[in-house]
Amino acid sequence: MEEHQAQLDFSLKRVSPHFGYATVSVPLNYVNRLYAHASLAQQSETYTHGFTKGHTPLAYIEKNFQPHLLEHIKEFFFKYFVIDWLYQEILRNKILIAGEPRLVDIIIQPNKPALYNFSLTLAQPIPLQGWKRLPFKAPKRKNYKDLDRQVKEFLKEEQKREKEATNDIIGLGDWVYFSVSILDQNGNSLFSDYASHLWVKIGTEEADIPFQKLFIGRKVGESFVTNANCLQEYFSSHIDTHYPFRIDILDFTPHAFFEVEQFKKHFRLRNCQELHQKLIEVFSYRNDISQRRATSEDALKLLLSRHTFEVPNHLVLRQQKEILDAIYDNPDYQVYKMQGDFQEKVRKLATKQVREAIFIHQLGCFEGITTSTEDVKGYLNLTKRPRTKEFIYFEPPSTKYLGQELPVSAAFLEQYCLREKTLNHAIYYLTKQKAKGL
């Protein structure tokens, strides 16, 4: 890992107070190594006039397949190195951004490193001193005794499922954390000790069978070599590859049961009483909004009311498009659209969501909040049940494409986890001071 960190490079060019370019540079020796490896792989699969299959000269392959090989290298490095490195460096350097980085172009030239250029919307620092002392009144639960019974039944059911589950064996619905190392002809890592770190959900559809075959029945700590097509297709859509990959299973979170101890750790719960009170938050509803959702909304509303800052219009427009895309397939879409203030409501919602995301990013940087594998496991644990999904405020990342669950970069998933951890951090301190009577 150290060699990789020493060789990859990150730079930021600020064009204006609100805009900049980030560049991730992949060293020339890595580019040459993958180009030679990909050429060799194509040689074994290529049939050309005058040569038997697998005996086309490498020089011919390298020259005539160059456009396809270069496109392959661009895509492979992006998924294998670059996206992880970009997010790690943004966090490490505490770069205040608004919205997500956007890939502008990829430049690969002879005898030069590969350059991945991203545009960044830069945010101005928000003064955050004293936010923990803001007066906050959290919404109260409903006092129906039936809610307490529902929580007890939920815990009883999940404890029963845990006892029946095969805890250490990967199965359907589980999230698996693993590393992927591309290997050379001798079975050694092509890029020293560096591996790509990914999460994947083991889906239940027919399209998910390839990843089911890869992981179901295995355990944390297992290591194996594979050239499974699902990995080839994930890393390369421009050419067919049959690379050998070494897979190391690093961790997983089971779908069969909700991990209560993980939940307690995630929310800093000290005993069964606090566990019960926390779960009540997603069982108690008022006006179709859970107590947890209302608490998150009110906490953010308070924080944003005391911290004013500019919201870039282009980010609002992007968010409007995402909102419209999300509700387009809703059966009531045409009814919503016919309302006179529909577009205004969408714009207000988009503005609110952009403001919240900018603020939470800055609060996380200001408080020095970081994430770990345990944090991600705690985040994914919340996605297992419809009720517990209410603990997730920001929209989770989409992991499906054409009905198939695909791997997600660990660093990318950590960004979503970090937002929730920061919001939980804010709610914890706002409600903690209330509990102390401050």
Side-chain angles (χ1 to χ4, degrees), residues 8 24 76-90 100-101 103 116 118 194 196-198 234 408-412 415:
L8 256 73
V24 176
F76 187 93
F77 280 150
F78 181 81
K79 293 180 178 177
Y80 195 85
F81 289 135
V82 173
I83 195 65
D84 278 10
W85 188 254
L86 174 69
Y87 282 113
Q88 288 170 12
E89 289 298 288
I90 287 174
E100 296 295 328
L103 182 64
Y116 291 74
F118 298 84
Y194 184 78
S196 181
H197 289 76
L198 304 166
Y234 170 75
V408 180
S409 157
F412 181 69
Q415 304 307 302

Side-chain angles (χ1 to χ4, degrees), residues 136-152:
F136 179 68
K137 186 177 180 180
K140 294 183 178 180
R141 59 160 287 182
K142 283 203 167 184
N143 289 320
Y144 298 148
K145 289 185 179 180
D146 187 57
L147 298 179
D148 297 287
R149 181 190 61 79
Q150 290 178 39
V151 169
K152 289 176 182 177

Side-chain angles (χ1 to χ4, degrees), residues 192-428:
S192 303
D193 294 328
Y194 184 78
S196 181
H197 289 76
L198 304 166
W199 284 90
V200 69
K201 184 177 182 181
I202 310 302
T204 58
E205 304 297 328
E206 185 176 351
D208 298 309
I209 290 175
F211 280 106
Q212 292 176 15
K213 290 181 177 179
L214 201 60
F215 289 111
I216 285 182
R218 296 189 181 273
K219 298 182 178 181
V220 172
E222 285 193 36
S223 179
F224 57 96
V225 175
T226 180
N227 63 354
N229 283 337
C230 54
L231 288 175
Q232 310 295 333
E233 291 167 359
Y234 170 75
F235 284 111
S236 175
S237 62
H238 290 91
I239 61 174
D240 292 331
T241 60
H242 300 279
Y243 296 150
F245 292 109
R246 187 183 71 243
I247 304 295
D248 291 289
I249 301 177
L250 305 175
D251 214 331
F252 87 111
T253 181
H255 179 74
F257 61 95
F258 180 77
E259 296 176 273
V260 174
E261 290 304 314
Q262 184 81 52
F263 179 76
K264 288 169 68 176
K265 188 188 304 181
H266 194 71
F267 284 105
R268 311 189 215 184
L269 308 176
R270 296 168 294 184
N271 50 51
C272 292
Q273 182 182 358
E274 289 186 1
L275 168 65
H276 185 91
Q277 290 172 347
K278 179 58 65 175
L279 285 171
I280 283 287
E281 293 180 17
V282 294
F283 281 83
S284 177
Y285 275 72
R286 183 174 276 104
N287 299 325
D288 295 327
I289 298 176
S290 69
Q291 181 193 0
R292 173 63 187 186
R293 184 76 186 187
T295 300
S296 299
E297 293 272 4
D298 288 357
L300 284 167
K301 184 178 180 181
L302 170 65
L303 290 166
L304 289 170
S305 71
R306 302 300 180 92
H307 300 90
T308 58
F309 54 91
E310 182 182 348
V311 178
N313 187 59
H314 66 278
L315 294 183
V316 174
L317 293 175
R318 285 181 202 165
Q319 192 63 23
Q320 279 183 256
K321 184 179 184 307
E322 289 192 18
I323 292 170
L324 291 170
D325 289 345
I327 64 174
Y328 180 77
D329 294 327
N330 189 304
D332 295 324
Y333 173 71
Q334 293 299 330
V335 177
Y336 296 149
K337 194 176 178 181
M338 292 295 290
Q339 296 176 6
D341 59 349
F342 174 68
Q343 290 296 337
E344 182 59 26
K345 284 182 177 178
V346 170
R347 180 168 180 81
K348 284 183 178 179
L349 177 60
T351 303
K352 172 177 173 289
Q353 291 176 345
V354 172
R355 280 175 55 79
E356 290 173 344
I358 291 173
F359 181 84
I360 283 294
H361 175 73
Q362 293 217 21
L363 183 61
C365 289
F366 180 79
E367 292 289 307
I369 297 173
T370 59
T371 55
S372 65
T373 301
E374 283 301 304
D375 291 321
V376 175
K377 287 175 66 177
Y379 175 78
L380 294 174
N381 188 41
L382 299 176
T383 68
K384 296 177 186 177
R385 303 292 180 258
R387 286 284 190 183
T388 57
K389 284 180 181 177
E390 280 290 305
F391 284 110
I392 298 175
Y393 180 79
F394 296 97
E395 187 70 21
S398 175
T399 59
K400 276 191 175 185
Y401 180 70
L402 297 178
Q404 181 186 18
E405 292 284 356
L406 292 179
V408 180
S409 157
F412 181 69
L413 187 56
E414 284 171 10
Q415 304 307 302
Y416 287 81
C417 178
L418 184 60
R419 290 175 189 169
E420 299 298 331
K421 186 175 180 179
T422 303
L423 178 57
N424 293 337
H425 176 83
I427 292 172
Y428 176 81

